[in-house]
Amino acid sequence: MAEQLSFDLPVRRALGREDFFVSPANALAVTLIDTPQTWIAPKLVLYGPQGSGKTHLAHVWATAMDGKVVAAADLPNADLPALIQTPLAIEDVPDIRSNDAAQTALFHLHNMTQAERQPLLLTGRAEPGQWDLPLPDLQSRMAGTQAVALSPPDDALLTAVLAKLFADRQIVPRRDVIPYLIAHMDRSFEMAARIVTALDLAALRESRSLSRPLAAQELARMMDQP
């Protein structure tokens, strides 16, 4: 495989269904996203750690359903009656814990979608029973929603995530870089995103290809940071 240096190009996130790698860590979530007709009610919570694929799957679902994806924090300024005309994915619901207006908007939006039997997908890092939303009626509705987890990555999924993160940055590491990272990095989606960013910046800064020595250097540097 030819080596390729990193260039200062924009990150292009691939969010299509074909770009999502299915493994035992996410298979149930993918199945439910692909078959909304099997949901217990016309709503579902998708939860998992940062970088686990919640946004990707929300966009896959919205595209398949001719729906929309909206951040929970943007709801106070949204036209709620217009939003419920299509299936709707609301991202990062726990982020509105301190946003009373957004909680109130989501409460009304939830009730409107359910009255109209309009599918509603919600995302957050923790399971909905732990979202601790101060608006009691909203929290109870979230906690009572069918939920599915995106689990921490196995080897196959972490490999695919690293490959996708590199591809999003339009860079190609040497073929021994990803196996080295899998063997030595903390096994989390967050760390995968951090190390890919660090390697991209280091390759640019030092005018080097993405090699195993560079990966070892950047992992050691990150481990030394407090």
Side-chain angles (χ1 to χ4, degrees):
M1 180 184 295
E3 295 177 12
Q4 178 176 317
L5 290 175
S6 299
F7 296 95
D8 191 12
L9 297 172
V11 177
R12 297 177 182 174
R13 301 179 67 192
L15 294 174
R17 178 65 177 82
E18 68 279 6
D19 302 307
F20 195 88
F21 183 85
V22 181
S23 85
N26 60 32
L28 178 57
V30 172
T31 297
L32 285 171
I33 288 296
D34 285 345
T35 58
Q37 68 274 13
T38 67
W39 297 359
I40 296 172
K43 59 176 178 172
L44 179 74
V45 168
L46 180 65
Y47 70 94
Q50 179 178 349
S52 59
K54 297 185 298 297
T55 291
H56 193 149
L57 283 181
H59 281 268
V60 167
W61 178 82
T63 297
M65 301 288 288
D66 291 326
K68 299 176 181 177
V69 180
V70 180
D74 292 338
L75 289 177
N77 298 318
D79 182 344
L80 301 188
L83 282 181
I84 68 162
Q85 299 306 307
T86 64
L88 191 61
I90 305 297
E91 286 220 272
D92 302 317
V93 175
D95 289 356
I96 63 173
R97 285 191 190 98
S98 59
N99 187 332
D100 293 343
Q103 290 181 61
T104 299
L106 179 55
F107 174 73
H108 292 305
L109 181 68
H110 169 276
N111 292 344
M112 293 163 69
T113 59
Q114 299 310 286
E116 297 294 328
R117 304 295 294 175
Q118 193 70 273
L120 179 65
L121 180 68
L122 307 118
T123 75
R125 294 189 188 182
E127 61 181 309
Q130 299 176 0
W131 287 358
D132 298 328
L133 298 169
L135 185 62
D137 287 341
L138 176 61
Q139 175 58 32
S140 66
R141 283 162 173 75
M142 297 297 98
T145 300
Q146 180 184 6
V148 62
L150 290 165
S151 301
D154 51 26
D155 280 0
L157 181 54
L158 193 56
T159 297
V161 167
L162 286 166
K164 180 181 183 301
L165 289 170
F166 282 124
D168 285 349
R169 291 178 173 270
Q170 305 171 62
I171 53 180
V172 180
R174 289 186 180 180
R175 64 180 63 192
D176 60 351
V177 168
I178 290 179
Y180 177 84
L181 293 174
I182 295 292
H184 294 88
M185 64 182 280
D186 291 342
R187 304 182 62 79
S188 72
F189 297 107
E190 183 176 8
M191 177 55 74
R194 289 179 58 203
I195 190 58
V196 167
T197 299
L199 284 170
D200 191 11
L201 293 175
L204 282 168
R205 184 175 62 249
E206 302 176 23
S207 298
R208 295 168 62 182
S209 61
L210 292 183
S211 62
R212 176 170 169 165
L214 184 63
Q217 167 191 303
E218 289 305 302
L219 274 177
R221 182 186 62 78
M222 293 172 72
M223 291 174 64
D224 288 341
Q225 291 178 343

